[in-house]
Amino acid sequence: ILLSGLFLMCISCDERVPDLYDAPDGIYFNNRASDNTLLDTMVMTFVYEPDSVEYADIPVMVQSIGRQTDTDRVVDINVHSPNAVEGVDYELITAPVLPANTSSFIYYVRVKKTSELETEKKTIYLELRSNEYFQTFLQQEESGDSQNPYTDMLHYRIEYSNFFIIAPEGWREEYVGLFSERKLRLLWSRYPFI
């Protein structure tokens, strides 16, 4: 019995080496809220900033999946807008490059406060595309929201203005009715302590 047990132990033990990661390197936008929810849109307004503020730098987190390398790798980010002009309304102030030995970087888009923003919201779209270094196979993540069940991981939208897009946190419709910027400015002019 001892001999047959030893024999079974010898033939059943097989030294194995785990497979190494060999999937293609991927790239995606990884902008998260404080509760770790993935976001594909950033909405901002200059209304809450001092009048002296002329621009805002919007951080966009770009994350890779796969092995890190000893060389910098270019990321293909297509930036376009239906109503904002690069150099006039916004600037791309960070090179779209994943630095060596890292798995993420922050891509900054500088949005400028122009007079048009007092009446018009500007929108900038960012899109990740495959290139020689990265594939775009991570396309969406479940959001847990029944109305929008998925969040896009390859597209990111920046919307900005210099007017109130939504009601301030303390706005109470039961006291002052539906929100409008005109109504808010009227209240501020009558009651500056609000």
Side-chain angles (χ1 to χ4, degrees):
I1 293 181
L2 183 61
L3 190 56
S4 52
L6 198 59
F7 175 73
L8 285 175
M9 209 166 76
C10 286
I11 63 167
S12 64
C13 292
D14 183 14
E15 186 176 331
R16 294 184 185 171
V17 176
D19 292 335
L20 298 175
Y21 179 85
D22 69 347
D25 291 333
I27 199 82
Y28 62 99
F29 290 121
N30 191 18
N31 299 280
R32 301 207 176 253
S34 59
D35 65 355
N36 205 31
T37 303
L38 182 67
L39 304 173
D40 61 6
T41 301
M42 162 67 144
V43 179
M44 70 86 56
T45 179
F46 285 101
V47 168
Y48 300 108
E49 302 297 329
D51 290 340
S52 60
V53 171
E54 296 179 2
Y55 62 86
D57 291 341
I58 307 299
V60 180
M61 176 63 76
V62 180
Q63 180 81 40
S64 71
I65 186 169
R67 293 188 178 276
Q68 295 180 1
T69 65
D70 293 333
T71 60
D72 293 350
R73 294 181 283 174
V74 175
V75 176
D76 188 355
I77 302 177
N78 178 32
V79 181
H80 59 280
S81 173
N83 61 355
V85 176
E86 185 178 355
V88 176
D89 299 306
Y90 70 94
E91 294 176 19
L92 306 174
I93 59 174
T94 308
V97 174
L98 179 68
N101 302 311
T102 62
S103 58
S104 65
F105 71 100
I106 298 177
Y107 185 70
Y108 285 99
V109 177
R110 176 170 287 168
V111 295
K112 298 179 179 181
K113 183 168 74 173
T114 63
S115 59
E116 291 178 351
L117 292 177
E118 293 178 12
T119 58
E120 178 185 9
K121 174 178 66 175
K122 300 282 185 175
T123 305
I124 301 169
Y125 296 97
L126 288 79
E127 174 189 10
L128 288 169
R129 299 188 296 195
S130 294
N131 66 6
E132 62 196 79
Y133 299 109
F134 299 104
Q135 300 299 311
T136 53
F137 55 86
L138 292 172
Q139 297 186 4
Q140 58 189 12
E141 180 177 291
E142 287 188 35
S143 67
D145 182 358
S146 60
Q147 292 183 348
N148 297 313
Y150 297 99
T151 303
D152 195 323
M153 298 173 78
L154 300 178
H155 298 88
Y156 194 73
R157 184 177 72 227
I158 300 169
E159 295 180 356
Y160 64 107
S161 69
N162 195 14
F163 57 86
F164 288 94
I165 297 172
I166 59 172
E169 189 174 316
W171 190 267
R172 300 287 180 253
E173 288 186 11
E174 60 270 19
Y175 299 120
V176 291
L178 291 175
F179 172 77
S180 73
E181 183 177 2
R182 183 176 178 189
K183 191 182 290 184
L184 179 64
R185 291 191 185 278
L186 175 65
L187 286 170
W188 276 350
S189 69
R190 301 286 176 149
Y191 308 101
F193 53 88
I194 292 181

